[in-house]
C-alpha cells in the first residue's frame, strides 16, 4: 500500500523540536498548521497517563486491516476508529464562538508577538501583544471604522484563546527532562500527546511499543526525537478497493518486477532526466578507479540513468507516454528535451529526429502554453477548466456573429459564476448599472438602510468624508458598509505606526497639560530649554509605560524609534518657539463624538458636532490655540510626508481636516463669542520637514465646505455612489493611481480606471466640480 504522512505523529514530533529549539515559535506554528489542535474542552488540562500495561491498539502498519468488512475498512481509511466508530472531529467538538478551534489566525498572532528566545518570553510577549492591541483599539476609537475596531476585538479574543492553549503547552514542554531513562520519558510524553493532539491514539500506540525499553538510559531529547521520528512521520495504509483503475505514483526503482497497462514518464528534459552529471570534486573518477572499482564514477551514473529509463518503459504493457516541460518557469527560458526522448523515438520508429522536429511534434500533441494551459480542441481537455479555456479560445478568435452565445453554458454552471460574469460584463457597458457600485433606484429596504447614513443622521470623521472625492465607491465601502482592509502582518524591524502615533499624541497631550499647569505656555526662546527638559522627562515616562505594556520584540528597534520620536518632538518645539503670531496653546486633544475617548481636554463633548454645512462631525482636534482677543486657530498634526499644496483649501475634497475642524471649533465655542481665524496642518516630523499649511477660515473655506457637504449629501439622496476613481479624470493630472493604492481594489478588480472612462461623464459633473476645488 501507499505511505502517507501521519499528521498526528508529525505534530507531536514538531512540538518536541519546539522544545529542543528553545520553544521555537516557528515550530509551534508548524504544529498548528498540521490541524491537530484538540477541541477546547479536551485541551483544558493534560489527560492522566494511561496505566502501565494497559493495552493500546497496535499500529495499522503492524496489523493491517485486511480482515475487516469493506465498509469498516472504508471508515478506517477515512480516519475513523478501527471498527468504524467516529473519532472526535473539529467540526462537531472544536467549535468555539462560531469558529473552529483549530486556529488559522494564531500563526499571524505568533508572528506579531515575536515569541522567540524561551518559555518566559512567551508569557511576556503575548501579554505585550495584548497591550498593543488594546492601544490600537483605543486609537481606533477616534475613527468611524467600526469594522477595523471589530477586527482588533476579534484579535484580542483569538489572542486570549491562544494564550489559554499555548502557555500550558509551553509549561508542559518545560517539564521534559534534559536526560532520563526511557520509562521516565514515556511518562512525560504520554500526557503531552493527549494534551496536544486531536486523536493521540497512534502516538500512544508507538509509545506503548517502546515500554520494554523503560530501563534504558539516560537518554537526551535529541535521541528521543531520533528514535520516534521514523515511527511517527509516516503511516502505511492499505490501498482502497475501487471499481475503476488505480494510479501508482513512485520513483522508478519501485517499478522493478511490476507491470502496468500505461506508464507515464514525466520530466524527460536535460538537467532533469538525465541530471547534470559531474565528477566529485573531492575524489575524482581517476582516483576512484585506482582506489576501488566499486566506487561510482560518471560512467556508472550514466548507466544507472539508462537503466532507470529501461525499467520505466519496460513496465508498460500497452502504452508509454514520455513528456517534458517546454519552459523553465524559474528562469523564464525554454527547456531542451532529453536525448533519451530521441533514442526512444528511434527505437519505436527507426528514425532519429533532431530536437527541432521533436519540439514541433510535442507542440502538435499538446497545444498548451504558458498563460493558456489548454489544448486547441475542447474534446482533448482532461478537466472542466481546460475545456472552458479551449472553448473560449475559439470564441475569442471568431467573428462576433459566430461567437454570440457560444459560452452561454457558463451561466448555467452555478449561480455564483453566473452573477460574477454578468456583473463583470455590465461594468464594461457604456452606461451606469448596479454592477458599478451603488447605482439606484433601490428597493424600499435599501432606501431605509441608506437613510440612516445621511450626513445629518449620523456622525462622520473627516477621513471618511475624504474618501468620497477619491472614489465614491470607496466611501461607500469604508463609511457605509464599514469594510476593513485586508490585514497584512507588519515587519518588526521598525516601530508600529499605530503605536508611534499613539505615543506621540500622548506625549504632546501630557506635555501641554504640564506646561499649562506650570505657566510655561506659550513656548518661547527664553523658556525653550526648560520645556525641552520637560519634554525629555515626559517622553521617558510615557515611553517606559508603553515599553512595560507592549514588551517590544526587539529592544534596538524600540530604542531607535524612541530616539527618532525624541528628535522629531524637539524640532517641533523649537519651531513652535519661533511662532510670533500671538496664538497660545489653549485646548489639547479636543474630542467630539467620541464617547469612549481617553486623555482628552476637559472641553470635549461626547456628542458629534452639527456643522453649519449640515455635516455631523466626529473627531479630535490635536491643538486649539487662542489669542488674547478670543480668536482661535485649530491645528491637526501630521507625522507623514508633506503632501499639501500651496493655496490648498480642501484639496479637491481629499484634505478636509483644516476646514471641517475649524467649523467644529466655531460651533463648539460660539456661545463664548470666540471666532476661528484658520485651520492648519502641521507636519511635526523631519519626514514632513516641519511644514505648515494654514487655511484661512473665510468665506471661500465656508463655501468649499458647503460644496463638499452638498455633493456628498446629493449622492446619498440620489443613491449614486459608483466606482469612479479620481485618477481616471485626466483633467486632474494625478501623480499617482487612486486604484493602485486603494485597500478595496480586490473588490473592484483591475481596469476600473479604463472602465469609468466609457461611462457618461454628465452624471459625475458634481463630483468633477468637487475635485476641481483648490
Amino acid at each position: 500500500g501507499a505511505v502517507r504522512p501521519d499528521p498526528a505523529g508529525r505534530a507531536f514530533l514538531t512540538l518536541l523540536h519546539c522544545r529542543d529549539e528553545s520553544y521555537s515559535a516557528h515550530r509551534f506554528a508548524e504544529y498548528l498548521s498540521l490541524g491537530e489542535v484538540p477541541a477546547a474542552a479536551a485541551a483544558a488540562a493534560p489527560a492522566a497517563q494511561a496505566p502501565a500495561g494497559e493495552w493500546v491498539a497496535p499500529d495499522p502498519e503492524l496489523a493491517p486491516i485486511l480482515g475487516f468488512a469493506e465498509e469498516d475498512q472504508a471508515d478506517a481509511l477515512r480516519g475513523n476508529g478501527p471498527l468504524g466508530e467516529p473519532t472526535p472531529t473539529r467540526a462537531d467538538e472544536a467549535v468555539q464562538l462560531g469558529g473552529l478551534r483549530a486556529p488559522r489566525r494564531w500563526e499571524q498572532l505568533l508572528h506579531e508577538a515575536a515569541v522567540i528566545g524561551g518559555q518566559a518570553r512567551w508569557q511576556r510577549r503575548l501579554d505585550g501583544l495584548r497591550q498593543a492591541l488594546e492601544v490600537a483599539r483605543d486609537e481606533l476609537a477616534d475613527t468611524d471604522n467600526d469594522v477595523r475596531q471589530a477586527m482588533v476585538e476579534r484579535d484580542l479574543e483569538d489572542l486570549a484563546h491562544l494564550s489559554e492553549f499555548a502557555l500550558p503547552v509551553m509549561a508542559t514542554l518545560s517539564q521534559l527532562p534534559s536526560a532520563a531513562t526511557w520509562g521516565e520519558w514515556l511518562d512525560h510524553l504520554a500526557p503531552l500527546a493527549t494534551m496536544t493532539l486531536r486523536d493521540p491514539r497512534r502516538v500512544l500506540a508507538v509509545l506503548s511499543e517502546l515500554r520494554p525499553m523503560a530501563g534504558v538510559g539516560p537518554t537526551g531529547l535529541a535521541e528521543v526525537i531520533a528514535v520516534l521520528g521514523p515511527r511517527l512521520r509516516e503511516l502505511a495504509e492499505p490501498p482502497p478497493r475501487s471499481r475503476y483503475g488505480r494510479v501508482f505514483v513512485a520513483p522508478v526503482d519501485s517499478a522493478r518486477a511490476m507491470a502496468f497497462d500505461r506508464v507515464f514518464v514525466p520530466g524527460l528534459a536535460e538537467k532533469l532526466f538525465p541530471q547534470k552529471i559531474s565528477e566529485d570534486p573531492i575524489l575524482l573518477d581517476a582516483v576512484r578507479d585506482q582506489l576501488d572499482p566499486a566506487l561510482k564514477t560518471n560512467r556508472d551514473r550514466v548507466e544507472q540513468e539508462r537503466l532507470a529509463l529501461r525499467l520505466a518503459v519496460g513496465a508498460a504493457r500497452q502504452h508509454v507516454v514520455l513528456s517534458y516541460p517546454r519552459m523553465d518557469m524559474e528562469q523564464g527560458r525554454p527547456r531542451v528535451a532529453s536525448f533519451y526522448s530521441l533514442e526512444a523515438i528511434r527505437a519505436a520508429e527507426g528514425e532519429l529526429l533532431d530536437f527541432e522536429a521533436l519540439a514541433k511534434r510535442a507542440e502538435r500533441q499538446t497545444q498548451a502554453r504558458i498563460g493558456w494551459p489548454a489544448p486547441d480542441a475542447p474534446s482533448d481537455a482532461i478537466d472542466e477548466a481546460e475545456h472552458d479555456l479551449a472553448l473560449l479560445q475559439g470564441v475569442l478568435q471568431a467573428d462576433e456573429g459566430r461567437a454570440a452565445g457560444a459560452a452561454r453554458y457558463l451561466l448555467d454552471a452555478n449561480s455564483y459564476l453566473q452573477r460574477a460574469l454578468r456583473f463583470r460584463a455590465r461594468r464594461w457597458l457604456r452606461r451606469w448599472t448596479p454592477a458599478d457600485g451603488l447605482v439606484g433606484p433601490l428597493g424600499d429596504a435599501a432606501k431605509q438602510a441608506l437613510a440612516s447614513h445621511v450626513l445629518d443622521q449620523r456622525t462622520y470623521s473627516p477621513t471618511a468624508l475624504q474618501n468620497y472625492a477619491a472614489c465614491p465607491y470607496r466611501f461607500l465601502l469604508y463609511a457605509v458598509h464599514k469594510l476593513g482592509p485586508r490585514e497584512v502582518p507588519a515587519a518588526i524591524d521598525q516601530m508600529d505606526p499605530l503605536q508611534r502615533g499613539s505615543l506621540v499624541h500622548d506625549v504632546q497631550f501630557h506635555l501641554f497639560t504640564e506646561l499649562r499647569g506650570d505657566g510655561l505656555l506659550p513656548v518661547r526662546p527664553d523658556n525653550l530649554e526648560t520645556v525641552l527638559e520637560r519634554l525629555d522627562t515626559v517622553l521617558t515616562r510615557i515611553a517606559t509605560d508603553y515599553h512595560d505594556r507592549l514588551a517590544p520584540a526587539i529592544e534596538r528597534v524600540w530604542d531607535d524609534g524612541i530616539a527618532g520620536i525624541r528628535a522629531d518632538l524637539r524640532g517641533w518645539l523649537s519651531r513652535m518657539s519661533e511662532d510670533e503670531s500671538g496664538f497660545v496653546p489653549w485646548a489639547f486633544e479636543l474630542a467630539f463624538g467620541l464617547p469612549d475617548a481617553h486623555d482628552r481636554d476637559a472641553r470635549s463633548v461626547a456628542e458629534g458636532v452639527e456643522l453649519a454645512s449640515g455635516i455631523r462631525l466626529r473627531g479630535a482636534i490635536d491643538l486649539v490655540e487662542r489669542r488674547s482677543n478670543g480668536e482661535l486657530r485649530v491645528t491637526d498634526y501630521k507625522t507623514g510626508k508633506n503632501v499639501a499644496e500651496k493655496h490648498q483649501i480642501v484639496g479637491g475634497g481629499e484634505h478636509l481636516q483644516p476646514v471641517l475642524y475649524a467649523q467644529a471649533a466655531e460651533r463648539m465655542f460660539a456661545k463664548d463669542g470666540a471666532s476661528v481665524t484658520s485651520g492648519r496642518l502641521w507636519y511635526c516630523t523631519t519626514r514632513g520637514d516641519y511644514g505648515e499649511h494654514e487655511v484661512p477660515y473665510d468665506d471661500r473655506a465656508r463655501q468649499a465646505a458647503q460644496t463638499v457637504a452638498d455633493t456628498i449629501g446629493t449622492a446619498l439622496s440620489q443613491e449614486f455612489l459608483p466606482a469612479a476613481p479620481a485618477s481616471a479624470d485626466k483633467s486632474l493630472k494625478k501623480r499617482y493611481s487612486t486604484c493602485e493604492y486603494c485597500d478595496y481594489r480586490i473588490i473592484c478588480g483591475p481596469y476600473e480606471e479604463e472602465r469609468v472612462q466609457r461611462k457618461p461623464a454628465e452624471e459625475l459633473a458634481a463630483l468633477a466640480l468637487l475635485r476641481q476645488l483648490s
Side-chain angles (χ1 to χ4, degrees):
V3 176
R4 64 176 175 84
D6 181 19
R10 295 195 173 206
F12 188 70
L13 287 172
T14 301
L15 284 176
L16 297 183
H17 281 293
C18 174
R19 171 62 181 87
D20 189 44
E21 297 173 10
S22 188
Y23 309 93
S24 164
H26 173 76
R27 288 291 190 179
F28 193 80
E30 182 182 349
Y31 155 74
L32 295 176
S33 70
L34 291 168
E36 289 298 315
V37 177
Q49 177 193 354
E54 180 178 348
W55 182 84
V56 180
D59 195 311
E61 187 176 347
L62 303 179
I65 54 178
L66 300 178
F68 294 164
E70 188 168 342
E71 60 272 16
D72 294 336
Q73 177 175 335
D75 286 337
L77 291 172
R78 284 195 295 267
N80 293 344
L83 295 178
E85 70 274 12
T87 57
T89 61
R90 288 171 293 171
D92 56 17
E93 291 191 2
V95 176
Q96 191 175 59
L97 296 179
L100 296 180
R101 175 62 184 264
R104 61 183 176 85
R105 293 189 295 266
W106 284 5
E107 294 185 43
Q108 179 177 340
L109 294 175
L110 287 175
H111 171 80
E112 294 176 356
V115 283
I116 54 177
Q119 179 200 2
R121 186 178 175 90
W122 276 75
Q123 178 74 58
R124 186 166 62 89
R125 287 299 302 135
L126 290 178
D127 288 344
L129 179 58
R130 177 178 55 80
Q131 295 283 357
L133 289 173
E134 290 174 352
V135 169
R137 179 188 59 191
D138 296 340
E139 191 73 14
L140 289 168
D142 293 353
T143 71
D144 59 357
N145 194 341
D146 297 337
V147 173
R148 183 71 179 93
Q149 297 178 45
M151 293 167 68
V152 173
E153 292 287 357
R154 184 200 65 188
D155 287 343
L156 283 168
E157 293 178 3
D158 291 340
L159 182 61
H161 299 159
L162 170 61
S163 301
E164 177 186 358
F165 175 76
L167 294 179
V169 172
M170 293 298 111
T172 303
L173 289 175
S174 68
Q175 296 172 5
L176 296 180
S178 57
T181 63
W182 269 101
E184 295 171 332
W185 275 112
L186 296 177
D187 292 342
H188 283 86
L189 296 180
L192 178 64
T194 56
M195 176 187 190
T196 57
L197 299 179
R198 178 164 51 94
D199 186 3
R201 289 179 295 178
R202 183 172 181 272
V203 174
L204 293 176
V206 172
L207 297 179
S208 178
E209 294 168 9
L210 298 176
R211 182 60 65 176
M213 298 172 53
V216 178
T219 300
L221 179 58
E223 187 173 350
V224 170
I225 295 175
V227 172
L228 293 178
R231 293 166 172 81
L232 293 180
R233 287 194 183 95
E234 294 178 338
L235 176 64
E237 190 173 273
R241 297 176 182 177
S242 172
R243 58 179 293 189
Y244 304 107
R246 303 179 185 180
V247 177
F248 181 77
V249 181
V252 174
D253 286 341
S254 299
R256 291 177 182 271
M258 301 182 72
F260 304 90
D261 291 341
R262 286 171 172 79
V263 171
F264 296 83
V265 184
L268 214 62
E270 289 296 329
K271 298 184 180 179
L272 292 179
F273 195 122
Q275 295 184 0
K276 183 179 180 180
I277 296 178
S278 58
E279 291 187 80
D280 187 332
I282 304 298
L283 192 61
L284 300 178
D285 287 353
V287 181
R288 286 170 175 260
D289 288 334
Q290 295 176 4
L291 291 177
D292 187 350
L295 292 176
K296 289 184 179 181
T297 62
N298 281 353
R299 179 179 60 257
D300 300 321
R301 297 184 183 98
V302 171
E303 289 298 326
Q304 283 183 341
E305 284 197 336
R306 298 180 68 87
L307 175 61
L309 183 59
R310 286 200 300 272
L311 287 173
V313 174
R317 292 194 187 100
Q318 301 175 6
H319 197 81
V320 62
V321 177
L322 308 178
S323 65
Y324 74 97
R326 289 185 292 167
M327 181 65 68
D328 185 344
M329 299 298 294
E330 293 184 356
Q331 308 208 7
R333 58 186 182 186
R335 282 193 180 276
V336 179
S338 169
F339 62 85
Y340 289 139
S341 58
L342 300 179
E343 292 190 8
I345 293 178
R346 182 173 63 175
E349 302 178 359
E351 179 184 2
L352 181 63
L353 302 179
D354 57 18
F355 285 107
E356 184 177 354
L358 176 63
K360 291 181 178 180
R361 176 179 293 195
E363 186 175 354
R364 289 196 302 269
Q365 290 292 327
T366 60
Q367 298 97 32
R369 58 189 183 275
I370 296 176
W372 199 270
D376 285 341
S379 59
D380 294 335
I382 63 174
D383 58 20
E384 292 87 346
E386 281 197 4
H387 175 273
D388 294 342
L389 289 174
L391 182 65
L392 292 175
Q393 182 179 17
V395 172
L396 294 174
Q397 295 174 352
D399 58 70
E400 186 174 351
R402 293 178 55 195
R408 176 69 174 76
Y409 74 96
L410 291 175
L411 299 180
D412 300 326
N414 64 70
S415 58
Y416 304 107
L417 178 60
Q418 178 190 90
R419 185 176 64 178
L421 290 174
R422 283 179 170 166
F423 267 67
R424 186 61 60 187
R426 288 169 184 165
R427 297 188 84 156
W428 286 99
L429 296 177
R430 296 185 179 275
R431 67 178 188 275
W432 296 103
T433 71
D436 295 304
L438 182 67
V439 177
L442 303 178
D444 293 338
K447 286 182 178 180
Q448 185 178 357
L450 189 61
S452 62
H453 294 279
V454 177
L455 296 182
D456 60 355
Q457 294 298 314
R458 53 157 288 194
T459 58
Y460 284 92
S461 69
T463 302
L465 297 173
Q466 288 172 173
N467 282 315
Y468 178 83
C471 178
Y473 192 49
R474 184 196 295 186
F475 168 78
L476 174 71
L477 297 175
Y478 180 91
V480 177
H481 291 311
K482 298 185 182 297
L483 294 182
R486 179 176 178 268
E487 292 187 37
V488 179
I492 60 174
D493 57 353
Q494 59 183 356
M495 183 178 289
D496 182 83
L498 273 178
Q499 295 176 8
R500 178 185 176 91
S502 179
L503 195 151
V504 168
H505 281 80
D506 277 357
V507 170
Q508 291 174 329
F509 173 78
H510 287 92
L511 176 64
F512 277 138
T513 302
E514 291 190 10
L515 293 179
R516 180 172 58 187
D518 295 341
L520 293 175
L521 291 178
V523 180
R524 291 292 179 261
D526 56 345
N527 65 355
L528 178 59
E529 288 301 321
T530 303
V531 172
L532 291 177
E533 292 176 3
R534 186 66 59 86
L535 168 67
D536 291 339
T537 303
V538 172
L539 176 58
T540 300
R541 183 180 72 245
I542 294 179
T544 301
D545 178 63
Y546 270 67
H547 183 280
D548 293 340
R549 289 191 292 146
L550 303 179
I554 304 175
E555 292 292 336
R556 178 60 184 268
V557 171
W558 177 263
D559 293 341
D560 288 348
I562 296 300
I565 292 174
R566 189 184 306 275
D568 286 340
L569 291 179
R570 291 178 69 90
W572 160 69
L573 285 175
S574 297
R575 283 157 180 80
M576 178 178 285
S577 67
E578 300 169 358
D579 184 5
E580 298 180 354
S581 63
F583 283 106
V584 178
W586 180 61
F588 331 118
E589 295 295 328
L590 179 66
F592 42 93
L594 304 175
D596 298 328
H598 63 94
D599 286 345
R600 301 303 186 192
D601 194 276
R603 303 174 184 84
S604 299
V605 294
E607 300 78 18
V609 176
E610 186 82 27
L611 304 185
S613 55
I615 299 173
R616 287 188 62 196
L617 197 69
R618 63 183 291 187
I621 303 175
D622 294 331
L623 175 64
V624 179
E625 299 170 292
R626 185 175 184 176
R627 277 188 178 139
S628 56
N629 60 3
E631 293 178 345
L632 302 180
R633 179 175 67 179
V634 300
T635 298
D636 187 59
Y637 289 122
K638 299 292 184 182
T639 58
K641 186 178 179 180
N642 187 347
V643 295
E645 297 181 359
K646 191 176 182 181
H647 306 305
Q648 173 181 293
I649 300 177
V650 293
E654 296 189 42
H655 301 277
L656 302 179
Q657 283 96 339
V659 174
L660 295 188
Y661 280 161
Q663 280 196 326
E666 180 183 50
R667 179 57 62 93
M668 291 179 69
F669 303 113
K671 60 183 179 180
D672 298 331
S675 62
V676 180
T677 62
S678 63
R680 181 173 60 154
L681 296 177
W682 192 354
Y683 296 85
C684 60
T685 62
T686 53
R687 185 185 179 193
D689 199 25
Y690 299 102
E692 296 183 45
H693 178 72
E694 190 162 351
V695 178
Y697 185 57
D698 51 18
D699 291 340
R700 288 185 62 202
R702 293 183 179 89
Q703 183 58 44
Q706 191 64 53
T707 302
V708 171
D710 293 343
T711 304
I712 300 177
T714 301
L716 288 169
S717 63
Q718 293 181 351
E719 306 153 9
F720 188 67
L721 295 170
S727 52
D729 188 348
K730 297 181 179 180
S731 65
L732 297 179
K733 298 181 180 179
K734 283 278 187 178
R735 293 173 294 179
Y736 61 91
S737 170
T738 304
C739 293
E740 183 178 355
Y741 299 101
C742 180
D743 292 327
Y744 305 102
R745 185 172 188 177
I746 191 173
I747 298 177
C748 295
Y751 313 119
E752 196 60 53
E753 293 167 319
E754 290 83 351
R755 278 196 289 266
V756 72
Q757 294 180 15
R758 299 164 57 93
K759 306 292 183 179
E762 58 271 13
E763 297 184 54
L764 298 176
L767 177 61
L769 289 176
L770 172 62
R771 289 171 173 170
Q772 295 294 335
L773 292 178
S774 60

